[in-house]
Amino acid sequence: MNHFPLISFLKNVLAFYQSMLHFCVVSIKNFWYVSLLGLFITASIFYYFAATKSDLYTGTASFTFGYLNKKVYGDRLFMVQRLVEQQQTADLSKLLQIPIKSAKSIVSFHAKNVAGSPLQEDYTEQKYPFYTEVVSTNKAGFYRLENALVNFLNTSKFDKDHIRYEHIKLRKKQLIFQADLKRMDSLKNTISVNDVSKYTEVITLVENISNQLLAIEQQLNKTVSIDLLTGFVPIKTDKATILKGIAIKTSLIYLLCVVVMSIFLQLNFKDKK
């Protein structure tokens, strides 16, 4: 098998890349001031980030709810997210009833369902817990924030009216189950213990009704829908780590821009040697 065409092709490819590299080096040398200007701009950008960035804290809190649909709470929390994204700290402070300083410290805010999807897009009926993921510059503000979120989600007049209406329906069911339980107790006394099948059936019915009454009693004791399941546990990300990532990104952008601009100028000023 003749390998000479392949070797020739590889040599040509290598020569091509060597020429490209040589052209890039020449372009950068000829337009050295582009590199200098780019370095100055990059250093200024990095200095700005170094002066403005601080340690960040990330925390996740989970919440349970007993009434309405998680989509309702997702829409309300999405409003909080939008205020954070638009940096409307005064409106955020007023909405959540937290100090301006605490509102200003929140860098990002997202509400998610158990699958990690945006809560405002969840139309399912299952009452699984939902989560809020928060990034903040203030570690001490997380405890205040979790209480503020619970209060914010529970203070709607619509929610209170809905819960009051649900309690009325539950009390009606409670009266029906209590009457059924009395009838079952009376029936149990008339059945001989020797009639195992009937006696077992009545005992099972009594147990089911009792469980229903217990569930209703627990639901009637809930005067609000939202409860905190797990509070925030802030995890720190050092400023140095953040700046390291920024330095790597800005350096790569700097190199790319210098090469592209130098080549562009070299192609348009061919008299440069």
Side-chain angles (χ1 to χ4, degrees):
M1 182 177 179
N2 191 356
H3 294 285
F4 289 108
L6 177 60
I7 294 173
S8 177
F9 170 76
L10 292 176
K11 286 182 178 180
N12 290 334
V13 170
L14 181 60
F16 170 77
Y17 283 112
Q18 285 177 337
S19 299
M20 286 291 295
L21 180 61
H22 176 71
F23 184 78
C24 290
V25 172
V26 170
S27 300
I28 293 172
K29 284 183 178 180
N30 287 340
F31 297 94
W32 57 267
Y33 48 85
V34 173
S35 302
L36 188 61
L37 178 62
L39 181 62
F40 175 76
I41 295 172
T42 303
S44 299
I45 293 172
F46 183 77
Y47 177 78
Y48 168 79
F49 280 113
T52 56
K53 289 292 181 181
S54 59
D55 295 338
L56 293 179
Y57 299 89
T58 305
T60 301
S62 59
F63 304 84
T64 60
F65 63 101
Y67 300 97
L68 300 177
N69 185 279
K70 61 176 73 69
K71 175 70 169 62
V72 174
Y73 303 111
D75 290 339
R76 294 176 188 174
L77 293 173
F78 183 65
M79 179 167 52
V80 175
Q81 176 182 327
R82 293 293 293 156
L83 290 176
V84 172
E85 291 172 347
Q86 298 299 324
Q87 298 182 347
Q88 296 179 223
T89 53
D91 294 330
L92 181 63
S93 171
K94 183 178 179 181
L95 184 69
L96 297 182
Q97 297 296 302
I98 58 176
I100 288 286
K101 183 178 179 181
S102 297
K104 192 174 182 180
S105 69
I106 302 175
V107 178
S108 72
F109 181 98
H110 295 91
K112 299 182 179 181
N113 60 14
V114 291
S117 301
L119 191 63
Q120 71 272 13
E121 298 176 4
D122 191 336
Y123 294 87
T124 59
E125 295 294 332
Q126 295 89 345
K127 285 184 166 45
Y128 298 138
F130 60 85
Y131 305 84
T132 56
E133 296 181 357
V134 177
V135 178
S136 174
T137 58
N138 181 16
K139 181 180 180 180
F142 277 94
Y143 177 73
R144 186 193 297 271
L145 179 61
E146 65 189 29
N147 290 327
L149 290 172
V150 171
N151 292 332
F152 165 63
L153 295 174
N154 278 327
T155 52
S156 169
K157 183 179 181 300
F158 175 83
D159 292 21
K160 293 178 179 178
D161 292 341
H162 179 81
I163 292 172
R164 191 179 302 112
Y165 174 69
E166 289 296 320
H167 280 190
I168 291 172
K169 293 196 298 183
L170 286 171
R171 289 190 182 95
K172 289 181 179 179
K173 286 184 179 180
Q174 186 180 46
L175 292 175
I176 294 172
F177 282 129
Q178 287 173 345
D180 288 342
L181 186 61
K182 287 181 180 179
R183 283 195 293 270
M184 289 300 103
D185 284 335
S186 300
L187 182 61
K188 182 178 65 175
N189 295 330
T190 62
I191 298 175
S192 172
V193 292
N194 294 324
D195 193 344
V196 178
S197 60
K198 287 186 178 181
Y199 193 80
T200 302
E201 183 179 355
V202 172
I203 291 297
T204 302
L205 287 172
V206 169
E207 183 179 357
N208 291 338
I209 294 172
S210 299
N211 290 338
Q212 291 285 354
L213 285 170
L214 179 60
I216 290 173
E217 189 64 34
Q218 290 176 339
Q219 194 71 2
L220 287 172
N221 288 333
K222 288 183 65 64
T223 57
V224 294
S225 178
I226 299 294
D227 286 309
L228 180 68
L229 180 61
T230 306
F232 289 109
V233 180
I235 300 174
K236 182 179 179 181
T237 303
D238 292 328
K239 177 181 178 178
T241 303
I242 300 171
L243 291 178
K244 182 179 178 181
I246 294 173
I248 293 172
K249 290 178 182 178
T250 52
S251 297
L252 292 175
I253 293 172
Y254 161 73
L255 290 174
L256 179 62
C257 290
V258 165
V259 171
V260 171
M261 286 300 299
S262 298
I263 291 175
F264 173 79
L265 292 172
Q266 181 70 17
L267 290 172
N268 286 272
F269 296 91
K270 293 183 180 180
D271 57 320
K272 283 281 184 180
K273 300 296 181 182

